[in-house]
Amino acid sequence: MTDSSHAPADRVLESDARPTGTPVPDPKRWRALGVIAIAQLMVILDASIVNLALPSAKAALKISDTNQQWIITAYTLTFGGLLLLGGRIADYVGRKRALIIGLIGFASASALGGLAPSQSFLFAARGLQGAFAALVAPAALSLVTVTFHDPKERARAFGVYGAVSGGGAAIGQLLGGVLTEYLSWRWCLLVNAPIALAAVLMAIPWVHESKAEGDTRYDLAGAVTATLGLISLVYAFTKAAPKGLLDTAHWTEPTTLFWFVTSAILLTAFFVIENLVSNPLLPMRVILDRNRGASYLVSLITGVGLFAMFLFLGLYLQVIQHYSPVKAGFAFLPFILGITLGAGVAAQLLPRVGHNPLIIPGLAAGSVGLLMLTRITPTSAYLPHVRPAMLITTPAIAFYCFTAPSTGLHCSGP
């Protein structure tokens, strides 16, 4: 017999909403949101926390100028390449289970990276971090949607989720600088282990399980071609980059062209596979839907621009301006303050004006801020040149990260 004492919670978590009747709110939903926020913060934070540790890690492990970016890229590539597969696994294995497994794996990979004896070991550990992050992130987002049913509460939950997503990168810069300065660059990775394990212990009693129904087969061919295609593309850009100050770019060299062609073949194969298989990772109807497709395209452009800015601005402050790691970290404080204020404004305006009036001005401001940063030189001062560009850029992060999750999930289309 079924224990009726658990029925209300099960009904709440197995369905986003019933056609008739109002789901009973989960009494632990706000505690669950805290766990989700911690998990999402770790995923976003780790894309930037090692930025200010790059010079120290590079010197310790004798990493070349060309290869140092793989400390960042190894994480983001596996994260992005496996994100769709991670979402499918979370849906059918169980979102709570996927979150816990992902957090444990993330903690283990972080510990391995922090103890890395060589650059190859570090790159591999960062890639493993990204793979487990690709399991954590979609599970966390799905748990928000199945835990909160009241529109006002869901808007608040997405507000917390968006603020964490927007501020995580800036917080990572600050935390990475402090850890590198006062402990070691290795602690930028080791710090994840206790936090992730603490999140696991909180998730066990506070987060309820939920699963999706339907075909549980996985599109492994799509995941492989997408991930390898993205890796080939980034490697092609690496091969094309100048190897030193007096070197020129290598766009037309056979090795560079080989990797560009390989990337094109693999990514084309991915889209062909998605049109042929019965259980695609990325159904074409999703990206062809005007609202969703535009949301994802803007997300791609925003991520490319802003995360590249965090990487190169961190190097600029340390290598060109000779800031210490902690000083460079605090130089990113305007981002944190601006995102916090921007998220608060967005939270008040979103129910009144909708998504577009927030996203469009935010992206316009971000474009202006990034354009201003292209004008800085080795002699540019922080206060008159760098900080204003930072402050102008923050609305792009705050407004978009606040509204994007609900835009992509609640637009028209199946």
Side-chain angles (χ1 to χ4, degrees), residues 3 10 33 66 84 108 164 189 191 225 236 258 296 325 347 351 357 370 386 389:
D3 185 354
D10 293 339
L33 180 62
T66 303
L84 294 171
S108 302
V164 167
L189 299 173
V191 70
T225 52
F258 169 80
Y296 300 148
L370 292 176
V386 178

Side-chain angles (χ1 to χ4, degrees), residues 306-398:
L306 294 178
F307 278 98
M309 177 270 295
F310 280 121
L311 171 61
F312 288 107
L313 192 55
L315 291 174
Y316 168 81
L317 292 173
Q318 287 193 92
V319 178
I320 305 299
Q321 296 289 353
H322 305 293
Y323 281 24
S324 67
V326 69
K327 184 178 179 180
F330 275 97
F332 282 90
L333 194 58
F335 273 115
I336 301 175
L337 299 177
I339 291 168
T340 302
L341 293 176
V345 172
Q348 298 299 318
L349 293 179
L350 180 61
R352 302 176 185 176
V353 302
H355 299 95
N356 286 352
L358 295 181
I359 293 177
I360 294 174
L363 292 177
S367 299
V368 172
L370 292 176
L371 183 61
M372 291 173 63
L373 287 174
T374 66
R375 312 307 300 169
I376 61 176
T377 68
T379 58
S380 298
Y382 172 77
L383 289 179
H385 299 108
V386 178
R387 189 173 67 175
M390 285 184 173
L391 292 174
I392 292 173
T393 306
T394 53
I397 308 173

Side-chain angles (χ1 to χ4, degrees), residues 54-353:
L54 284 180
S56 300
K58 174 186 169 185
L61 300 180
K62 298 179 173 59
I63 304 173
S64 67
D65 289 338
T66 303
N67 288 335
Q68 67 176 336
Q69 54 92 15
W70 283 102
I71 301 177
I72 309 296
T73 306
Y75 176 85
T76 54
L77 271 181
T78 53
F79 176 48
L82 297 174
L83 192 59
L84 294 171
L85 180 62
R88 180 63 63 87
I89 292 173
D91 282 342
Y92 295 120
V93 169
R95 289 146 188 155
K96 175 180 177 179
R97 182 179 300 174
L99 181 72
I100 291 174
I101 293 173
L103 286 172
I104 293 174
F106 194 87
S108 302
S110 298
L112 291 173
L115 300 173
S118 66
Q119 61 175 314
S120 299
F121 197 98
L122 176 59
F123 298 160
R126 287 287 287 168
L128 192 60
Q129 268 189 303
F132 282 109
L135 191 60
V136 171
L141 181 57
S142 296
L143 284 167
V144 174
T145 65
V146 300
T147 302
F148 294 90
H149 304 276
D150 178 75
K152 292 183 179 179
E153 288 192 348
R154 179 174 286 185
R156 290 171 59 191
F158 274 123
V160 172
Y161 182 92
V164 167
S165 298
I171 294 172
Q173 299 283 101
L174 176 58
L175 181 59
V178 171
L179 291 173
T180 301
E181 178 85 6
Y182 295 112
L183 293 174
S184 164
W185 67 268
R186 295 182 180 276
W187 276 99
C188 293
L189 299 173
L190 292 172
V191 70
N192 290 314
I195 297 175
L197 294 178
V200 169
L201 295 177
M202 290 186 288
I204 292 173
W206 293 346
V207 177
H208 289 279
E209 186 61 281
S210 67
K211 295 182 180 180
E213 303 296 332
D215 188 353
T216 59
R217 291 176 296 174
Y218 302 112
D219 178 17
L220 295 179
V224 170
T225 52
T227 304
L228 293 181
L230 292 173
I231 290 174
S232 299
L233 180 61
V234 173
Y235 191 66
F237 282 114
T238 301
K239 299 298 290 184
K243 302 301 186 290
L245 294 176
L246 302 179
D247 194 14
T248 57
H250 306 280
W251 295 105
T252 59
E253 287 195 359
T255 304
T256 303
L257 295 175
F258 169 80
W259 286 108
F260 273 123
V261 171
T262 300
S263 173
I265 293 172
L266 288 168
L267 293 177
T268 300
F270 168 73
F271 285 103
V272 171
I273 290 169
E274 299 310 281
N275 279 294
L276 295 178
V277 298
S278 59
N279 56 330
L281 284 177
L282 183 62
M284 291 299 103
R285 69 178 186 275
V286 173
I287 59 175
L288 292 177
D289 177 88
R290 185 177 69 175
N291 287 339
R292 284 179 176 169
S295 176
Y296 300 148
L297 180 60
V298 170
S299 180
L300 172 64
I301 296 171
T302 304
V304 169
L306 294 178
F307 278 98
M309 177 270 295
F310 280 121
L311 171 61
F312 288 107
L313 192 55
L315 291 174
Y316 168 81
L317 292 173
Q318 287 193 92
V319 178
I320 305 299
Q321 296 289 353
H322 305 293
Y323 281 24
S324 67
V326 69
K327 184 178 179 180
F330 275 97
F332 282 90
L333 194 58
F335 273 115
I336 301 175
L337 299 177
I339 291 168
T340 302
L341 293 176
V345 172
Q348 298 299 318
L349 293 179
L350 180 61
R352 302 176 185 176
V353 302

